[in-house]
Amino acid sequence: MKNWKRILSLSLGAVMLMGALASCGEKPAAATPTGSAPAPAPVTSVDPNADFEEMTLSLAHTAATAHAHNVAATLFADRVSELTGGKVTVTVYPNQELGDQPAILESCSLGGDADIVVVSQSNIATYMPKLNALSAPFLFDDYDHAHRVIDNYVMDWINADMPAAMNTYALSMFDYGFRHVTTKGIEINTADDLAGVKIRVPGSAGLLAAFDALGSNTQTIAYSELYQSLKQGVVDAEENPVATVLADSFFECQDQLAITGHFFDMQALLINNDTWSGMSPELQAVIQQAAIEAQDKTRELISGGEADTIAELESKGMNVTYPDKASFVAKMEPAYAEMGKLAGQAEMDALLKAVEDNR
């Protein structure tokens, strides 16, 4: 890319923004959500005198019971019960009890067993390709930057299309955290240290493109099989937020943790749109408020607890390194080009403008 080396001295987020825009050679589109229908106005004013019809809703997610997402899901259920005087019950099904993410997302979309789900943007992108833009590596500078973009742009951007595209509505966005690399016996200090390394990467187009650009040997192993694959040496490395590394005990079969922060992972709290549309405005307000409170709990636990989690992983025997991020960013041009193709360059440019506007 022209002037790529020169702009490496800028912040990593700005580098990635300029790199992606330079690669397409186009002026970025205005940062306004696009889609076939306007996003519904959020309902957030809870009426303390409202009466509610009795109902039971199911909330399915795939995180372990010790994970922040289960804490947030439980908080959501408790708050809905509290705010409706016990008339609306939310039953939480953690740890893939109702299936993996593609399965529960399909169930929610079709009005199956899962009324409400927590799923990644990469799974949503199966239905809405523009969300591939969120899979671009090194997109956000830090947690606060990510949260500003989510609150000021991403939620409206998603809901502009989501009800029509997949019969769901996004209530809030849970932090999953910045993803980092763990390995067994391979210390990571620069991007070149990952060349040829057998690493499990989830089926996210952005993550696959990023590690392909690094020259890694990427493997798409199901998450349910990851621990055993690491233990048996099928792969030497994986990448996840540190909260997941701790909650799922990957420190038992990985001894190196590289704080790469290559990707900010978020998962949407979705509700079936027929269920949502059929609720009274008063109940919608309760559900929306509980969803935001649950979202904020993930932000508190994930970003606020990251330093303590890293320290705990060190205490469990992991060697922690802080690689040179510029060495990674310098290799990301092909990944950004791929995300532009998958999401649509106009959508990619609009998101990048929102990223820059919210710095």
Side-chain angles (χ1 to χ4, degrees), residues 77-88:
D78 290 345
R79 289 294 284 148
V80 169
S81 178
E82 179 183 349
L83 292 169
T84 62
K87 289 190 175 180
V88 179

Side-chain angles (χ1 to χ4, degrees), residues 4 8 15-16 137-138 190-195 209-216 324-337:
W4 183 253
L8 280 176
V15 168
M16 195 42 48
F138 297 102
T190 72
D192 289 341
D193 294 328
L194 278 166
F211 283 92
D212 285 343
L214 295 173
S216 303
D324 172 24
K325 285 192 179 182
S327 69
F328 287 79
V329 172
K331 297 177 181 288
M332 291 298 107
E333 182 182 351
Y336 264 64

Side-chain angles (χ1 to χ4, degrees), residues 331-350:
K331 297 177 181 288
M332 291 298 107
E333 182 182 351
Y336 264 64
E338 180 66 16
M339 292 309 95
K341 290 177 183 177
L342 293 175
Q345 195 61 54
E347 296 287 5
M348 186 79 243
D349 291 346

Side-chain angles (χ1 to χ4, degrees), residues 211-233:
F211 283 92
D212 285 343
L214 295 173
S216 303
N217 182 355
T218 55
Q219 307 288 321
T220 53
I221 297 167
Y223 191 78
S224 59
E225 301 172 9
L226 177 55
Y227 182 91
Q228 285 301 318
S229 295
L230 293 169
K231 192 171 183 179
Q232 295 169 6

Side-chain angles (χ1 to χ4, degrees), residues 176 182-183 200 223 225-228 230-231 238-256 313 318:
Y176 199 63
T182 71
T183 63
R200 181 269 180 182
Y223 191 78
E225 301 172 9
L226 177 55
Y227 182 91
Q228 285 301 318
L230 293 169
K231 192 171 183 179
E238 62 88 43
E239 51 77 59
N240 260 302
V242 292
T244 302
V245 175
L246 180 62
D248 289 346
S249 302
F250 293 149
F251 56 84
E252 294 176 350
C253 44
Q254 301 272 273
D255 58 8
Q256 301 285 328
L313 290 169
M318 297 196 83

Side-chain angles (χ1 to χ4, degrees), residues 28 44 59 125 197 272 274 300 309 327 329 332 342:
T44 56
L59 191 166
V197 172
N272 174 271
D274 294 332
E300 171 193 334
T309 301
S327 69
V329 172
M332 291 298 107
L342 293 175

